[in-house]
Amino acid sequence: QNGVMSGLMQMLLLKVSAHITEQLGMAPGGEFREAFKEASKVPFCKFHLGDRPIPVTFKRAIAALSFWQKVKLAWGLCFLSDPISKDDVEKCKQKDLLEQMMAEMIGEFPDLHRTIVSERDIYLTYMLKQAAKQIELPRASENEPRKYVPAVVVGVVGMGHVPGIEKNWNSDLKIQEIMSVPPPSASSKIFKFVLKATVFGLLGYGCYRIGHRTVQFVLSMPATQSYLQRLTEGPQQ
């Protein structure tokens, strides 16, 4: 639905999610599910999903990577097997260690960090600021002065986004640019064509092999051989 490369990336990230779930016994994103449950207990509370849509993030991330970076990233995600403990998760809550991990990621895939982290920092900040605007109270008449009350907002975000949100909070943010999806590159088009050709080629070869073996099996059956023998003897007689 969202393109071949985006679909493959989602499959790989689901594999990572499954690996984390298996190692820790809990699925990533539990804080957001907990926020949803808590919001349902508060009268008149509106629950808003304020992150950038996943297809936009994936397509921008894929477009930002070169062909070899895509291969390297896919290879690393396919063979992810490093053990993860709850102590490792607790270490990530320490700001210094978290920033060190982010710096290592930036060094290896700077464009990926920009699209998946930095751009989403801007988007999350923008959505939080929109939610935090003062609320206008209803007026009895047009002549009555406008009155406002502050909005009460609880934002639940991943720890890796907190420094970026703090950095962007007092900036004049524009999200039009980071919501656009760039057209696919020539390498992406070639890869897509090669992938489709490979898949259809393998399917065609598989159908041929299955059909060939099926015909051989049917022809080797005694009933089939007897029937074919009668057919060949009939014209001779």
Side-chain angles (χ1 to χ4, degrees), residues 33-69:
R33 288 186 286 273
E34 192 64 28
F36 179 77
K37 286 193 294 184
E38 291 299 318
S40 65
K41 301 175 185 177
V42 181
F44 308 108
C45 178
K46 295 180 180 179
F47 183 83
H48 181 67
L49 297 172
D51 203 348
R52 184 170 65 177
I54 291 175
V56 175
T57 298
F58 277 169
K59 288 179 180 178
R60 287 186 63 84
I62 291 166
L65 296 176
S66 67
F67 176 77
W68 293 113
Q69 283 179 318

Side-chain angles (χ1 to χ4, degrees), residues 48-190:
H48 181 67
L49 297 172
D51 203 348
R52 184 170 65 177
I54 291 175
V56 175
T57 298
F58 277 169
K59 288 179 180 178
R60 287 186 63 84
I62 291 166
L65 296 176
S66 67
F67 176 77
W68 293 113
Q69 283 179 318
K70 292 173 187 174
V71 172
K72 185 177 180 181
L73 177 65
W75 182 267
L77 293 176
C78 281
F79 295 96
L80 181 70
S81 58
D82 296 338
I84 304 170
S85 66
K86 292 186 178 180
D87 290 336
D88 294 330
V89 177
E90 292 300 319
K91 289 178 182 177
C92 289
K93 295 179 182 179
Q94 301 176 32
K95 187 175 180 181
D96 294 340
L97 288 174
L98 181 64
E99 289 179 351
Q100 180 182 342
M101 290 171 58
M102 299 295 282
E104 291 175 359
M105 179 182 169
I106 293 171
E108 194 167 2
F109 295 103
D111 293 325
L112 193 67
H113 179 274
R114 174 175 55 81
T115 52
I116 291 183
V117 181
S118 300
E119 289 183 359
R120 286 174 59 225
D121 289 344
I122 295 172
Y123 190 91
L124 289 165
T125 307
Y126 178 85
M127 297 305 289
L128 279 169
K129 290 180 74 172
Q130 292 298 310
K133 285 183 176 180
Q134 289 188 326
I135 302 170
E136 183 180 353
L137 295 175
R139 294 183 294 169
S141 66
E142 291 293 331
N143 297 325
E144 186 178 345
R146 297 176 184 272
K147 295 181 181 179
Y148 298 88
V149 294
V152 179
V153 180
V154 177
V156 180
V157 299
M159 286 189 65
H161 291 291
V162 174
I165 292 173
E166 292 176 348
K167 175 184 174 183
N168 291 306
W169 189 258
N170 294 318
S171 304
D172 184 21
L173 303 174
K174 307 291 183 185
I175 62 170
Q176 289 80 7
E177 183 181 348
I178 62 172
M179 288 300 293
S180 62
V181 178
S185 62
S187 61
S188 296
K189 291 179 180 177
I190 293 171

Side-chain angles (χ1 to χ4, degrees), residues 183-204:
S185 62
S187 61
S188 296
K189 291 179 180 177
I190 293 171
F191 178 78
K192 184 177 179 180
F193 174 78
V194 171
L195 182 64
K196 283 186 175 180
T198 303
V199 170
F200 284 118
L202 290 173
L203 284 173

